[in-house]
Amino acid sequence: MNADHLFRPFAKEFDLERGEMLDPESRIARTASDMRGYYADGPALERLIREAGDPLHYEVFETPLPEAEGNLMFCISKLQPGLVGDEYFMTKGHYHQVSGAAEIYLCLRGEGLMLMKTASGECVAEPMRRGRLVYVAPHWAHRSINAGEEPLISLCLYPAGAGHNYGDIEREGFPRRVVRSGSGPTLV
Ligand code: PAN
Ligand code: ZN
């Protein structure tokens, strides 16, 4: 095969202490108003949007890669701390469009949970904290939840052609939520 047709090797710098990808080519940002319909307390979300000026919820920093079979996508996911009512800030969550595509989250900073569910309703929560790797197995939808006081930051790795299916989770939701209680973050 002519090597000109191959994607070229490259390297990228990270600040692992701060949990930052240096010079990311792309940044996706979600603010509170992007999260309508996801939290149990809709009025609390509307108050947050109104009173706090639609604050940043989370960001994904990445280097776009060809989706061709074999490439591995890597990105930094950075979720702010905060509450909507009693519920901790979280990502929308998704299945992969190629639902058999797995993903690795290596937590670099912060504290929280990775909530995972199958289409048949089985649900598992794995703690996330610096140095802990969560393996999101094929066919499991996944959502991260920041139950701490600083940003929850992970390095994510998955097949570049996996795609994201948000629609099914928008319809199904996750069977469990993480809320603040007197004894700390609680799965309900
Ligand atoms: C992550 C997520 C990121 C944001 O990179 O995309 O944490 O969460 P949502 O995509 O659910 O809004 C990932 O799981 N990629 O596949
Ligand atoms: Zn994913």
Side-chain angles (χ1 to χ4, degrees):
M1 190 195 287
N2 182 338
D4 289 346
H5 297 294
L6 296 177
F7 194 60
R8 307 289 301 167
F10 66 95
K12 200 81 199 154
E13 302 279 341
F14 289 78
D15 181 331
L16 295 178
E17 280 302 316
R18 295 166 64 88
E20 287 177 6
M21 182 190 294
L22 307 186
D23 303 321
E25 274 83 355
S26 137
R27 170 184 178 260
I28 297 160
R30 304 265 182 245
T31 65
S33 61
D34 293 313
M35 298 302 291
R36 287 190 168 107
Y38 286 91
Y39 290 100
D41 190 342
L45 182 68
E46 293 306 322
R47 275 198 303 282
L48 181 73
I49 295 168
R50 225 175 27 245
E51 292 165 13
D54 194 13
L56 180 66
H57 233 69
Y58 60 95
E59 297 159 280
V60 180
F61 299 94
E62 58 188 32
T63 296
L65 290 175
E67 291 185 3
E69 197 179 335
N71 278 301
L72 278 176
M73 187 66 182
F74 59 90
C75 66
I76 290 281
S77 167
K78 179 176 186 182
L79 171 60
Q80 295 300 318
L83 287 165
V84 176
D86 283 339
E87 200 172 352
Y88 290 99
F89 276 15
M90 62 192 188
T91 59
K92 292 182 173 189
H94 56 266
Y95 294 95
H96 290 149
Q97 215 145 19
V98 177
S99 86
E103 182 161 355
I104 282 169
Y105 277 68
L106 175 60
C107 184
L108 303 177
R109 265 186 73 180
E111 273 179 74
L113 286 169
M114 177 66 73
L115 201 57
M116 293 166 279
K117 70 156 289 209
T118 61
S120 58
E122 196 181 343
C123 188
V124 169
E126 276 293 343
M128 296 176 81
R129 58 179 170 268
R130 180 173 169 77
R132 189 167 162 92
L133 181 150
V134 176
Y135 186 76
V136 178
H139 307 292
W140 287 73
H142 41 289
R143 154 180 292 166
S144 36
I145 296 158
N146 188 342
E149 282 166 13
E150 62 167 306
L152 177 66
I153 304 180
S154 300
L155 172 67
C156 312
L157 301 168
Y158 59 96
H164 294 87
N165 164 6
Y166 292 99
D168 285 349
I169 277 299
E170 257 175 61
R171 274 188 299 278
E172 297 166 5
F174 280 77
R176 308 195 73 182
R177 294 181 176 277
V178 183
V179 300
R180 183 176 62 175
S181 74
S183 55
T186 307
L187 203 54
V188 295

